[in-house]
Amino acid sequence: MTWYNELGYKKNPFSIKPNTKYKLFFDDKDVLGLIKKSLEANHNVLLKGVYGTGKTTILKQIIKLYGGKRKIFYYNAFSKEELNYDKIIKNAGNIFSRLFKIKSAEVIVFVDEAHKVPISQAFSYKNHENKIKSILFVSSDTSFIIPKGFEQDFQVIINLDNFTQKDAINIVKDRLGESQDIIPHNAIIELYNKSYTPRDFILSCESYCKNNILS
Amino acid sequence: MSWYKKFQLSRNPFLKNPKINADLIVKDIPKLKDLLYYVESDSIVIVRGEKNSGKTRFALEVLNTIKPKQKNLYIDLKHYNKNVDIEDILLSVQPMHRRLLKLYPKNIVLIIDNAFNFNPKFYHRLQYFYDQEYIKSAVIIYKADELVEIPPSIMSRVGSKYIDLSNMTKDSAIKIVSNRLKGKIFNDEHLDVIYSKSKGFEDFLSNCEKIAVHYANSRKDFSRKIDIHFIRRMLI
């Protein structure tokens, strides 16, 4: 039996998989709300942060906010296929429009690991501007910048670079709920001080619980 | 009649292939418990060790423990092209109709053996399937002295989840073979002599087999164990 089974959890509460079950904490900023509001207002967004800052989790949560509708298209740069906006627009929409290859209007496109997508592909959205509502580029390369000529297209740039002690405390409260005292406050601070990102911290919490709770 | 049947054994006890002779040394049990925990708790974990430290055997023991309640897939990258796509591997275990519709297995435990020098795209794709919950957890196995370029995005997910297997010692080697023999053919003194004349575990198994086969083919009475002088003569 694992430590979390002993505490009554069916699954590991410190799993690092991006999921929509747990809240996100970004130094009191409503990053999720800001991104959704921007996309709805037809603004393109660039979201940057090193590995483990919560980018994929944000993507999953936004997709959930939209109810997983077909008007959201998720593309990962490590996909087998090239980024093709024409194909995306044709594949979005209802079965009727897909069957007759009618281009859908108002598609929102998420491009994960955008810095890995060739510029010629990533920025060819210009040819479909009347069909693409907004774009969210996500990059783990914090030095990634929007190339010249396209900067004005990205009205919102968000850097996930500030993981605070308060965020760490909130993560523990959110994930452990009533059992949050399992990790004493001073232990949380100690684990936070050794962590660079939320993921580092979550992994450290798991290790702490495994070593201190397992009978 | 196969030589080992003359010793009332059902299979060749000196095969190196860990899939056929799965041994587990007591000292590895705490590490096995750790690995089972990581596999159950949705982790990506790295298992490292020198040649013949028992990495594959270790991983197979995990599969034996989690079956049949957990879907799993063991792959040995030694048998694949360097540019293989993990998507193709995941689809290959699906029935035809699911393969045609590109429906990936969900929540699968993936064990990747001999993970060395692969196209980084392989690991990026692994990351994608892990994040999207097609892969529940992944065990990446490689030899400690091999140059393995695993991308930082995967290493960030591994964190400190490493299991380092200790090298095969003489005592471990003798214990493994003794467990397989179940009191037949050689005793521990015989195995000690054979091991001292062998260069590593594979050579040890090979020498044991050579001596046992020669004895089986040259004798009619198998009720007594092999004489130690016979063994020493064979090893000259």
Side-chain angles (χ1 to χ4, degrees), chain A residues 89-91 95-104:
Chain A
I89 294 161
K90 281 182 184 156
N91 284 331
I95 193 163
F96 179 81
S97 53
R98 274 180 281 138
L99 194 61
F100 292 98
K101 296 202 194 298
I102 298 170
K103 292 185 182 181
S104 192

Side-chain angles (χ1 to χ4, degrees), chain A residues 3 17 78 80 199 206, chain B residues 37 88 125 135 156 161:
Chain A
W3 65 267
K17 286 198 178 186
F78 297 112
K80 255 180 172 170
R199 182 183 290 152
E206 183 194 2
Chain B
Y37 166 79
D88 297 332
R125 298 284 283 151
I135 295 172
S156 143
K161 293 176 180 174

